[in-house]
Amino acid sequence: VGGHRVVLHLDMNAFFVSVERLGNPHLRGRPAAVVGDASRRGIVLTASYEARAFGVKTAMLLAEARALCPGLRIVASNPDKYQDMSERIFEAVRPLSDRVEMTSCDEAYLDATHDAPDWSAAERAARDLQAKIRGELGLPCSVGAAPNKLLAKTASESKKPDGITVVRPEDAAGFLRDRPVRDICGVGARLEEQLAGLGVRTCGQLGAADEETLYARFGIWGHWLKRMGNGVDDSPVARLCDPESVKSVGHSTTFPRNTRDPEVLKGYLMWLCEKVARRLRAGGFAGRTVSLTVRYADFETVGRQAGLREAVNDEGAIYAACARLLEKPGPPPRAVRLLGVSVSSLEREPENRFLFDELGKRRRAAAAVDALNARFGQTAVGRARTKTAERAGVFKSAMPAFLRRRDAR
DNA sequence: TCTGGGGTCCTAGGACCC
DNA sequence: TCTGGGGTCCTAGGACCC
C-alpha cells in the first residue's frame, strides 16, 4: 500500500485482423473483418480500424457489417493461429518483468516498477514494449502506463491504434473525472444503467457518490466502485499464466439451424465432449463437475451441472453426464440453437496411478485416440455418433459458400 | 439481419449437518 | 414436534471481460 508503482497494460490492436494481415497483404490498409466460421449466423469477431470508421463493430451480424461497409474484406477466423500468436506475445513480454499477468489472448499487465524508478522511465518502458511487439511480431498495439492496473487499462484503451498513454499519479483524478463510468473495467451495460438511475454517469461522480448508498445498492461491489471512480486500485499484478489458474475448460456451438431432433443434439453433444476431453488431456487436467448449457430458439439460456464422484477427462464419461443433464427435465420443450459443455473443479491428472483399473483403461484408450488424431488430423478418429452427424453434414452444412472456399485454402 | 465462443466471479436458495 | 443458528456444499443464474 502506497509507494511508487508502475503498471503497464498491453492491448493488441484489432488482434485477429492484425494476425491475418501478416500473411495476407490484401487485407492491409483496408476495411477488413474476421468473422466466426461455424455457420451462416456468422458475426464480426474483430474489425480493422478502417472498417470501424464505417461503423463495423465486434458482435455485429455479417450482413449488417456488409451493408455498412460494401468493400469490407472478410476472413474466416483461425483460432489456432491466434492462440499461437498469443503464446508468442507472452514469450516476448515475459523477460521484461517477473510479474506478467495475461488476462486474455491479446492483453497483459506488467509490473514495471523495478525498471522505472520515475515517470519518464515509465514512458520509455511503454515505448520499448510497443516497439518490441512491433519489431519481433510485426503487430500493432497500444500501451498504457500508470500507478495501478485500473488506470493503466483505461489509459491503453484511450488511444488506439498504436497509442502510448502515460497517467502519472498527479494526473490520475483529472484523467478519469469526465470519462463515463463504462470506461472502468468491470462496469458493464447493466451497472451503467443502474448507476445512471442514481444520477452517476462519470467516474468523477462515482468517486464523489455516497458510499452508504452504493453499498446498500451493490453490496461489497459498491465499496470498490467508489474507489475505482477515484482511480484507486491496490490490486497487484498477478503471475497469471500458470496452468494452476485454469478453472474450467469448455466448448459451445450455435447450430446452423435450430433443432430439437434428439439424434442431431446428441451428435453435437458428443462432438463437444470430444473437444473438451481432448483439451483437458492436453493440459493434464481432469474435472469433477460437468456443466451443460442449452440455449433455446428464443435465446433463453439454461445451465445444468452435475458433480461426479471422480474427476474425469474422457469423452465417454463427460458425454454420459451431459446426456443425463440434457434429458433431465424431459425432451427439449422447444427448438435448441446452442449447446455447450464445460468441465470444472479441475485437478491435475494423476500420472499413472490408475494404470490397471477401469479408469486407467479408458484413459489409455483416449490417449491412443489423441495420438492418432495428432498424426492423421483432428477428427480422423472419433465416436460413431460424431461421425454420423458429420456424414449428415450437420456441422458445416449452412456455412456460406465464400467462407467454405476460404476455409479450404 | 435475430443476437459467437472463450472464460471468471458473485449471489442466492436449498440440502444437510451439528 | 409450531423449534435457533452457523457452516458447508451443491446448483442455477447472471454480470462482466475480450
Side-chain angles (χ1 to χ4, degrees):
Chain A
V1 186
H4 174 72
R5 266 176 97 206
V6 175
V7 176
L8 303 182
H9 184 253
L10 167 70
D11 195 350
M12 303 304 294
N13 300 143
F15 183 52
F16 294 177
V17 171
S18 298
V19 173
E20 295 297 339
R21 280 175 167 172
L22 289 176
N24 190 347
H26 188 240
L27 299 171
R28 293 180 199 159
R30 306 175 169 280
V34 169
V35 308
D37 65 351
S39 74
R40 81 155 71 86
R41 303 165 129 159
I43 58 158
V44 174
L45 300 176
T46 309
S48 73
Y49 287 87
E50 295 83 355
R52 290 181 206 191
F54 287 84
V56 179
K57 288 183 193 150
T58 295
M60 187 173 269
L61 287 167
L62 186 51
E64 192 181 359
R66 301 195 117 152
L68 284 171
C69 181
L72 188 66
R73 306 201 164 176
I74 307 285
V75 206
S77 76
N78 294 285
D80 293 344
K81 259 208 290 203
Y82 315 140
Q83 187 55 42
D84 288 348
M85 187 56 81
S86 180
E87 283 162 26
R88 290 180 60 195
I89 292 167
F90 181 65
E91 291 308 320
V93 162
R94 195 160 63 164
L96 302 181
S97 170
D98 62 338
R99 287 198 172 270
V100 174
E101 179 178 348
M102 201 88 182
T103 51
S104 77
C105 67
D106 69 339
E107 277 189 26
Y109 292 100
L110 286 80
D111 191 320
T113 308
H114 187 70
D115 292 326
D118 59 58
W119 288 93
S120 48
E123 177 161 354
R124 279 197 301 279
R127 292 196 185 284
D128 289 350
L129 173 58
Q130 188 183 58
K132 186 174 168 83
I133 297 295
R134 169 66 79 180
E136 292 181 11
L137 305 173
L139 295 175
C141 63
S142 292
V143 179
N148 62 45
K149 288 166 73 175
L150 166 71
L151 289 165
K153 169 136 173 121
T154 313
S156 73
E157 300 278 345
S158 73
K159 202 195 277 179
K160 292 176 167 186
D162 295 310
I164 296 281
T165 307
V166 181
V167 180
R168 300 174 185 228
E170 61 269 29
D171 303 330
F175 179 74
L176 279 187
R177 191 176 305 124
D178 297 325
R179 290 177 186 276
V181 289
R182 193 67 157 78
D183 283 8
I184 293 175
C185 180
V187 177
R190 291 286 312 212
L191 209 44
E192 179 186 36
E193 197 183 318
Q194 293 185 57
L195 286 169
L198 297 174
V200 173
R201 291 190 169 74
T202 65
C203 294
Q205 290 168 338
L206 181 59
D210 176 54
E211 178 153 5
E212 289 309 310
T213 308
L214 292 177
Y215 187 80
R217 189 69 174 268
F218 305 112
I220 191 65
W221 245 107
H223 171 70
W224 298 112
L225 281 171
K226 182 175 167 78
R227 290 166 57 95
M228 289 165 101
N230 287 317
V232 176
D233 173 20
D234 292 331
S235 61
V237 177
R239 291 191 197 82
L240 248 181
C241 45
D242 44 340
E244 311 307 316
S245 63
V246 178
K247 301 282 195 304
S248 67
V249 172
H251 281 286
S252 62
T253 191
T254 298
F255 310 144
R257 272 182 295 273
N258 301 341
T259 181
R260 48 193 303 184
D261 180 335
E263 290 310 306
V264 175
L265 290 174
K266 286 175 185 170
Y268 275 113
L269 198 55
M270 180 54 92
W271 179 65
L272 290 165
C273 290
E274 283 174 0
K275 287 181 65 160
V276 170
R278 227 171 263 148
R279 258 180 68 218
L280 284 168
R281 294 193 294 264
F285 297 113
R288 271 183 27 252
T289 304
V290 173
S291 308
L292 175 74
T293 300
V294 183
R295 174 123 78 211
Y296 295 108
D298 61 2
F299 226 71
E300 189 203 351
T301 309
V302 297
R304 293 176 211 129
Q305 46 182 295
L308 305 181
R309 248 172 293 123
E310 58 187 11
V312 299
N313 64 9
D314 68 287
E315 53 269 31
I318 298 169
Y319 177 81
C322 285
R324 275 197 306 274
L325 290 170
L326 182 64
E327 282 158 13
K328 199 157 140 190
R334 46 200 189 285
V336 174
R337 67 172 286 138
L338 167 146
L339 281 181
V341 172
S342 175
V343 173
S344 54
S345 308
L346 300 183
E347 303 168 356
R348 296 283 41 211
E349 184 180 25
E351 299 295 323
N352 284 317
R353 229 169 76 201
F354 298 105
L355 203 55
F356 300 109
D357 64 10
E358 209 37 48
L359 191 60
K361 252 188 238 166
R362 284 210 309 266
R363 284 197 174 136
R364 273 174 296 157
V369 170
D370 286 343
L372 285 169
N373 281 329
R375 277 183 66 187
F376 301 112
Q378 267 294 298
T379 53
V381 180
R383 294 282 161 150
R385 199 178 276 292
T386 316
K387 295 285 134 186
T388 309
E390 267 172 11
R391 270 198 300 278
V394 289
F395 295 142
K396 302 228 166 177
S397 57
M399 187 189 291
F402 71 92
L403 282 183
R404 243 176 288 150
R405 277 200 303 277
R406 283 167 198 280
D407 228 32
R409 206 175 39 192

